[in-house]
Amino acid sequence: MYRTKKTLVGLLTWGRSYFSKSKFLYPGAQPLKKQIESNRPVIIIGSGYGAAVAALRLCEAGKKVLILEMGINWKESGIPYSGLLKPARSAAWLKKRTIAPFMNIFPLKPFTGALDKLNFKHIDVWVGRGVGGGSIVNGGMAVIPKENYFKEVFPHLDAEKFYSFYFPLISKELKVNVIDEQFIKDCPYYKFTRVGETEAHKAGFKTVRVPNVYDFKYMEREYKNEVPRSALNTEVIYGNNHGKNSLDKTYLQKALATGNLEILDLHCVDTITRNEDKSYSLDVRQIDTSGKTLANKIFSCQKLLLGAGTMGTLKLLLSSQAANNFALDCTVGKNWGNNGNIMTGRNWVRPLSGGTGALQSTIPVGGVDNWDDSEHSFFTEIAPLPMGVDVATALYLLINRVDKKGSVSYDKAQNRLALDWNESHTLKMKANANYFVRKMNRANGGTRSHLLFKNGFGANICYHPLGGCVLGESTNLYGKLKEHDNLYVIDGSLIPGTIGVNPFMTITAIAEYCIENLIEQGEFG
Ligand code: FAE
């Protein structure tokens, strides 16, 4: 459905006069239904990796940009992040109980927290909320995909340019660094990594050191008690108060420094409407920290970029189609995947020699690389499990190929996304996890982790939703959505369901590539 420019101008005039009258002349009058905001040249929805890259490059090019983010601006708010063992306001998005993948024994007062969990029938998807998106809650693992697999996933992209230019560029912008090997050897908080690597080698697997955006020089000072502790104080999936270079300290900070970026937090975009003049209007709810609506607003813009994350962007597009026949190419929602995520673990890991350690850093630095084994191709993170006591348990997040992709649609009756994804999609992932755990246990002792997951495998746990608005399928080669002239997608939904490693480096690199080309092509004037 098109909303005419004339109607919008009319509404704008009516809204302003009604607002001033109701506020000053009729104090008892009904509150305003819709607050009409001034037209903006560029709006970006969301503030995760893709959004932050687009904001910086557009601001540098002299464009005025507005970011609308449904979560809190944690940095500005002064509200501290909470640790795993003392969950508080940052722990969950409007939930009465914690929502970690397991051990949710902590009650909560609903608050617009940093971590959200979206439940589907056969899979749960975790996402970050707040200015900085997933960078606020993630483990910071900054992994560049294998070049061969990148070429397989994106055959139409110039891989050489990605590996010689975009990945080095974003490594610098995101402040990626590598932990000192001696620190791993000396620090009791990395016993879980030392044990994980030794046991992997004994089982015949290859391990790799994993770079991270957490500042390891800061961590070394934490260990010496020279600065407040964060990674060494169980902080990660509910946010890090120190040490982690999340986007609010990198791309977004740089974009704000240009003076061209405005960020409105606690602004949730519900529906997008295309106007007759090909601009866009957005129905937006401004909420408070209990989730209550403070104001209903309509924003309009000439150029709209979607950086709401895979699930957020798909919800916006598909729900707008259901609400107002918003034009979408038939490929939108297709080619969705969980990046091959499956969590697993092992119990009774060295129970007589201190297990994996009572004290654990929350920042993973090791991985098992079994990608080149064509039978059982996977990469797995040697993950921390900082419980405060030694539970003699090893935790792993495996990343596999996604042989069978899923698809996403919109359930209008329930006002939520529906996912065509079931156990058949994760069969091979589970077989790989089983192969890995059995081989590890045979070589080192230990059992499948029934304590953490039903039957030892969490195939329903997804930290890396990808796809649904795939680059070159639902969009042109630079993220411009088919059927549209002024709408662009710039987040994880561009990646077709899989990238073989933790995804934010690829999301960031693809966003740099897209926005560079869109600006060069004169899309933003
Ligand atoms: P994303 O970062 O998800 O940002 C989207 C933003 O849009 C969020 O702030 C939303 O609140 C906001 N939003 C959504 N809908 C709306 C709306 N309607 N109106 C206004 N705002 C909206 O997007 N990846 C790695 O590479 N390494 C890791 O170590 C790693 N660890 C992870 C750990 C956890 C617990 C989780 C959940 C994820 C992890 N990831 C990791 C995944 C990574 O954080 C994720 O792929 C990226 O954050 C996705 O980036 P996007 O730009 O797609």
Side-chain angles (χ1 to χ4, degrees):
M1 193 181 77
Y2 290 93
R3 191 179 275 158
T4 64
K5 201 173 175 183
K6 217 169 151 190
T7 321
L8 197 69
V9 173
L11 270 174
L12 185 67
T13 322
W14 171 84
R16 280 202 186 120
S17 69
Y18 182 84
F19 182 68
S20 52
K21 273 180 201 156
S22 63
K23 195 168 171 199
F24 300 111
L25 300 179
Y26 311 116
Q30 287 292 307
L32 254 190
K33 281 256 161 52
K34 299 270 181 199
Q35 227 169 278
I36 315 286
E37 300 289 324
S38 61
N39 193 300
R40 307 292 182 122
V42 181
I43 290 183
I44 302 177
I45 305 178
S47 60
Y49 290 91
V53 168
L56 174 60
R57 300 306 172 207
L58 287 167
C59 288
E60 283 177 340
K63 311 294 165 204
K64 291 277 179 202
V65 175
L66 171 66
I67 280 184
L68 297 173
E69 165 58 55
M70 67 192 277
I72 294 185
N73 192 335
W74 294 95
K75 198 174 168 191
E76 296 285 306
S77 73
I79 299 168
Y81 297 116
S82 47
L84 286 169
L85 302 179
K86 271 195 193 163
R89 284 176 288 182
S90 71
W93 178 260
L94 301 172
K95 307 279 187 302
K96 288 186 177 157
R97 188 165 282 280
T98 52
I99 50 167
F102 38 77
M103 312 261 179
N104 288 305
I105 50 171
F106 301 96
L108 293 171
K109 185 169 172 216
F111 193 85
T112 46
L115 185 68
D116 200 359
K117 184 174 104 165
L118 314 173
N119 305 317
F120 298 94
K121 196 165 178 199
H122 296 280
I123 192 165
D124 295 327
V125 179
W126 278 261
V127 294
R129 299 258 178 254
V131 172
S135 78
I136 302 296
V137 298
N138 68 30
M141 290 174 72
V143 198
I144 295 173
K146 288 192 182 280
E147 192 165 347
N148 280 349
Y149 197 56
F150 181 87
K151 284 181 182 160
E152 193 181 317
V153 175
F154 291 113
H156 48 279
L157 292 183
D158 176 0
E160 205 273 320
K161 180 153 189 201
F162 271 81
Y163 284 78
S164 65
F165 177 69
Y166 294 116
F167 283 123
L169 167 74
I170 65 157
S171 298
K172 215 167 147 208
E173 295 285 8
L174 292 168
K175 302 191 178 168
V176 174
N177 66 151
V178 181
I179 194 166
D180 181 70
E181 289 298 321
Q182 195 58 45
F183 185 66
I184 299 183
K185 281 190 188 127
D186 296 343
C187 181
Y189 288 77
Y190 275 107
K191 185 176 183 201
F192 77 95
T193 303
R194 297 197 297 269
V195 169
E197 292 180 349
T198 307
E199 293 200 329
H201 296 156
K202 202 167 165 207
F205 289 112
K206 187 176 94 189
T207 60
V208 286
R209 182 65 55 241
V210 180
N212 203 289
V213 297
Y214 197 93
D215 180 348
F216 288 113
K217 288 285 163 237
Y218 185 91
M219 194 189 285
E220 289 182 19
R221 298 186 64 209
E222 280 179 55
Y223 182 51
K224 292 181 197 153
N225 282 322
E226 292 172 0
V227 288
R229 289 188 164 195
S230 184
L232 303 189
N233 187 28
T234 79
E235 291 174 4
V236 64
I237 60 171
Y238 309 148
N240 279 89
N241 286 302
H242 313 278
K244 186 159 76 173
N245 282 308
S246 42
L247 290 165
D248 49 332
K249 295 181 190 162
T250 58
Y251 274 96
L252 291 171
Q253 183 170 301
K254 249 178 135 174
L256 284 166
T258 64
N260 287 332
L261 175 64
E262 183 186 359
I263 302 177
L264 292 178
D265 67 345
L266 294 169
H267 277 66
C268 181
V269 182
D270 284 334
T271 316
I272 311 170
T273 305
R274 182 165 62 175
N275 303 316
E276 211 166 50
D277 65 353
K278 296 184 175 174
S279 65
Y280 293 92
S281 295
L282 311 175
D283 287 296
V284 179
R285 265 175 308 122
Q286 183 183 3
I287 55 175
D288 68 13
T289 54
S290 72
K292 195 179 121 209
T293 302
L294 294 178
N296 289 309
K297 302 182 178 179
I298 293 181
F299 285 83
S300 53
C301 58
Q302 299 306 313
K303 299 279 178 183
L304 179 62
L305 291 99
L306 302 183
T310 297
M311 307 314 286
T313 288
L314 289 175
K315 184 166 182 205
L316 280 163
L317 290 175
L318 294 166
S319 66
S320 299
Q321 184 183 46
N324 62 34
N325 284 332
F326 193 73
L328 286 185
D329 186 75
C330 61
T331 56
V332 172
K334 307 275 188 310
N335 250 329
W336 184 91
N338 68 345
N339 200 25
N341 283 185
I342 174 167
M343 254 194 206
T344 188
R346 295 164 48 232
N347 296 135
W348 303 106
V349 174
R350 303 189 174 198
L352 301 178
S353 54
T356 45
L359 302 172
Q360 298 195 11
S361 165
T362 55
I363 297 300
V365 294
V368 171
D369 179 359
N370 206 49
W371 199 257
D372 294 335
D373 173 350
S374 54
E375 269 292 280
H376 299 289
S377 190
F378 63 86
F379 170 85
T380 182
E381 162 185 344
I382 298 172
L385 189 62
M387 309 282 282
V389 287
D390 175 41
V391 287
T393 295
L395 181 66
Y396 308 96
L397 173 65
L398 267 80
I399 296 174
N400 298 270
R401 286 171 173 270
V402 181
D403 300 325
K404 186 178 173 190
K405 303 276 174 64
S407 65
V408 183
S409 58
Y410 185 69
D411 179 342
K412 202 173 173 181
Q414 306 265 349
N415 181 28
R416 49 169 297 169
L417 289 179
L419 212 50
D420 176 14
W421 184 267
N422 56 48
E423 280 158 6
S424 71
H425 292 86
T426 53
L427 277 179
K428 178 66 186 159
M429 302 168 199
K430 215 165 155 182
N432 281 351
N434 192 32
Y435 166 82
F436 171 65
V437 166
R438 282 172 71 127
K439 218 172 153 189
M440 290 292 277
N441 287 344
R442 248 187 248 136
N444 302 289
T447 62
R448 220 199 272 176
S449 182
H450 291 273
L451 293 180
L452 294 177
F453 311 103
K454 195 173 161 210
N455 297 323
F457 300 108
N460 59 337
I461 293 171
C462 173
Y463 278 3
H464 304 161
L466 296 173
C469 214
V470 171
L471 189 68
E473 285 178 19
S474 305
T475 73
N476 75 0
L477 280 182
Y478 311 120
K480 180 170 174 169
L481 203 69
K482 286 183 181 166
E483 310 281 335
H484 290 263
D485 293 313
N486 297 310
L487 180 55
Y488 313 86
V489 173
I490 194 94
D491 56 24
S493 64
L494 292 171
I495 300 176
T498 165
I499 195 59
V501 290
N502 312 59
F504 75 60
M505 290 296 276
T506 309
I507 296 171
T508 311
I510 297 272
E512 286 278 13
Y513 150 85
C514 285
I515 201 70
E516 180 187 87
N517 281 283
L518 291 169
I519 292 173
E520 256 174 42
Q521 292 194 337
E523 287 286 335
F524 297 92

